[in-house]
Amino acid sequence: MRKPNMMEAKKRTRAEIKVIRDAYIVPSSINNIGIDKKYFLRTYGCQMNVHDSENIKGELEELGYTEIDNYEDADLIIINTCAIRENAHNKVFGFLGRLKHLKKQKPNILVGLCGCMAQEEAVVNEIIDKYQWLDFVFGTHNIHELPQILKQHLDLKQLIVEVPSNEGNIYENIPVKRDHPFKAWVNIMYGCDKFCTYCIVPYTRGKQRSRRPEDIINEVKDLIKKGYLEVTLLGQNVNAYGKDFTGLDYNMATLLKDISKLPIKRIRFLTSHPWDFTKEMILVIKNNSNIMPHFHLPIQAGSNKVLKLMGRRYTKESYLELYQKIKQAIPGASITTDIIVGFPNETEVDFKETLDIVNKCKFDSAFTFIYSPREGTGAARIVDIVDIKEKEARLQTLNQLINKYTLESNQKLMNKMVPVLIEGKSARNEALLVGYTDTFKLVNIKGDSSLIGKIVDVKITEVKTWCLYGEVNNGKN
Ligand code: SAH
Ligand code: SF4
Ligand code: F3S
């Protein structure tokens, strides 16, 4: 048994980051255990978790399992969890309640839990205490060990907990089953060393580790061969890419430049911390038309006092300066953000500063959250006197303002032609196709399904806050 430990997870030493290429091993005794069996995988959290789930699916399918989307019929159920806010926790524990019931009716099914919650000491203690009916728990650092963990469980027939909380290595060559045929997630780095005071990620994901440029480039080349049109480069703070290399002068701007030379139609990247965003990056993006003009640039708060307490290392003014530099260099660019309201002891004046920066930046859209204390983080120790009702009211005020600007920015596209990668049919309306613009806006399109998998020019005919509507210009396509 390996249990996570918050003190260990917090450590950042100079230990060398190893790139391990042969860690994924399937014990021969289980290499067919999934034949004729079905698995259900539920994923919470960010794109990184979504991509981890693609690796888990890859592993399970190599063992012979087939994916289904109804957990009640599955032989194996895995929950890939997120720890970012309390409500993410609550959803997982709610689902576990239902699974306990199912397991009573069907004792032979296997149920496992992984992801960021599994890296939390308190969660694992609770599982060992109250969830002995679970079959296995593994963490974010050992996804490649899933076959061995399954074997351990089958041999011992008891709850297996294997959650190391080391700083982390890089594991290459883990199987992957991608969710989408045209657009792919590509990890460029793991972990985070920023330790923003509210955030659990540096504890659940370990230290910052950048993948070697050649591994990333080879992955993108392989995706191109398989017909992929779009890659999204993933990291908690992609602008810091390469800062952990020793003896290699290679950064996010160099990586973007090298990837943009490949024949890939669309390159996106997530997430950018405003602190590490360089002039070189802006130049590379401006000069390469296959890097999409969309920047997700979380501001978190508008008050310099709060930003400082959050440990964000920039000010409202320096954020605004960066924002303007991007908009000047790339005029049609869209900029989206994340905002937290109700950081401990945020005052009405602090909150007005947040509204003020929103009024200045007029974001294309934003994810907004009420601050949620995470055990073990710095901010969780602050005694907070602000009432939750007040925080909820602030969130509502903020959302109204955000929505106003989202609609305004969408209205600018009315009657314009925009490039859209058509991804498939709309889930809500079979007659419509859906896709994203270069600026990452969702469009519903009237058009023939033969357009799926193509990038086409679409004329925007109607705009709403949450999406656009458009028509394909048949003359041109
Ligand atoms: N690495 C990214 C953010 C990843 S987490 C960055 O630094 O920008 C995604 C978002 O969740 C954050 O941008 C933040 O707005 C929100 N978030 C993180 N921790 C939170 C907490 N404790 N309470 C509320 N929101 C939080
Ligand atoms: Fe969390 Fe900050 Fe790291 Fe983003 S940069 S993952 S908010 S600690
Ligand atoms: Fe959640 Fe972990 Fe992502 S905490 S947001 S799944 S890195």
Side-chain angles (χ1 to χ4, degrees), residues 44-45 81-95 117 368-374 395:
Y44 297 92
T81 63
C82 168
I84 203 85
R85 283 170 291 274
E86 189 60 37
N87 59 1
H89 269 225
N90 297 344
K91 280 186 208 156
V92 168
F93 281 112
F95 189 43
M117 271 172 72
T368 56
F369 313 100
I370 293 181
Y371 165 76
S372 169
R374 310 314 297 133
L395 182 70

Side-chain angles (χ1 to χ4, degrees), residues 211-423:
R211 277 180 84 195
R212 308 296 298 180
E214 61 274 21
D215 288 328
I216 300 169
I217 289 167
N218 286 338
E219 184 173 342
V220 177
K221 281 183 180 163
D222 183 54
L223 288 164
I224 296 169
K225 258 194 235 147
K226 291 180 172 140
Y228 280 80
L229 301 175
E230 181 177 300
V231 291
T232 302
L233 310 178
L234 289 182
Q236 285 300 345
N237 173 18
V238 292
N239 314 351
Y241 173 78
K243 284 192 168 185
D244 49 298
F245 288 148
T246 44
L248 177 65
D249 185 17
Y250 198 95
N251 57 31
M252 185 59 178
T254 345
L255 180 69
L256 279 173
K257 205 192 284 172
D258 282 348
I259 294 181
S260 71
K261 283 185 205 140
L262 302 175
I264 183 87
K265 299 270 189 229
R266 288 181 155 200
I267 302 161
R268 300 186 185 278
F269 53 95
L270 275 176
T271 292
S272 292
H273 189 299
W275 192 54
D276 291 312
F277 215 109
T278 62
K279 268 188 269 170
E280 291 76 47
M281 274 179 67
I282 301 179
L283 257 180
V284 173
I285 297 162
K286 174 187 161 88
N287 292 334
N288 291 285
S289 59
N290 57 351
I291 307 177
M292 294 299 101
H294 167 234
F295 302 79
H296 188 63
L297 202 60
I299 180 151
Q300 313 298 2
S303 145
N304 287 340
K305 181 196 95 188
V306 173
L307 285 171
K308 192 151 189 217
L309 289 171
M310 286 177 161
R312 288 294 284 183
R313 311 177 201 206
Y314 54 82
T315 60
K316 181 182 174 189
E317 291 74 24
S318 66
Y319 183 95
L320 203 56
E321 205 181 306
L322 173 64
Y323 176 96
Q324 276 153 355
K325 255 190 229 155
I326 294 174
K327 284 278 183 179
Q328 268 159 21
I330 307 160
S334 67
I335 299 184
T336 55
T337 201
D338 293 347
I339 300 174
I340 298 175
V341 301
F343 186 79
N345 304 323
E346 177 192 69
T347 64
E348 195 56 38
V349 175
D350 294 326
F351 176 61
K352 290 249 162 66
E353 294 272 347
T354 295
L355 298 178
D356 180 59
I357 190 89
V358 171
N359 280 319
K360 290 197 165 86
C361 293
K362 304 180 169 52
F363 294 106
D364 287 84
S365 72
F367 293 114
T368 56
F369 313 100
I370 293 181
Y371 165 76
S372 169
R374 310 314 297 133
E375 199 175 320
T377 62
R381 288 193 287 272
I382 308 175
V383 180
D384 185 8
I385 55 161
V386 185
D387 190 71
I388 184 69
K389 288 263 167 336
E390 176 60 37
K391 296 187 185 200
E392 282 163 1
R394 284 180 196 168
L395 182 70
Q396 233 184 8
T397 309
L398 176 65
N399 284 345
Q400 274 167 10
L401 194 64
I402 293 285
N403 293 348
K404 177 182 124 177
Y405 288 123
T406 301
L407 184 61
E408 263 181 29
S409 81
N410 287 350
Q411 276 161 344
K412 287 191 195 134
L413 294 181
M414 189 65 193
N415 293 320
K416 296 254 162 66
M417 297 293 287
V418 289
V420 176
L421 166 54
I422 314 260
E423 292 185 4

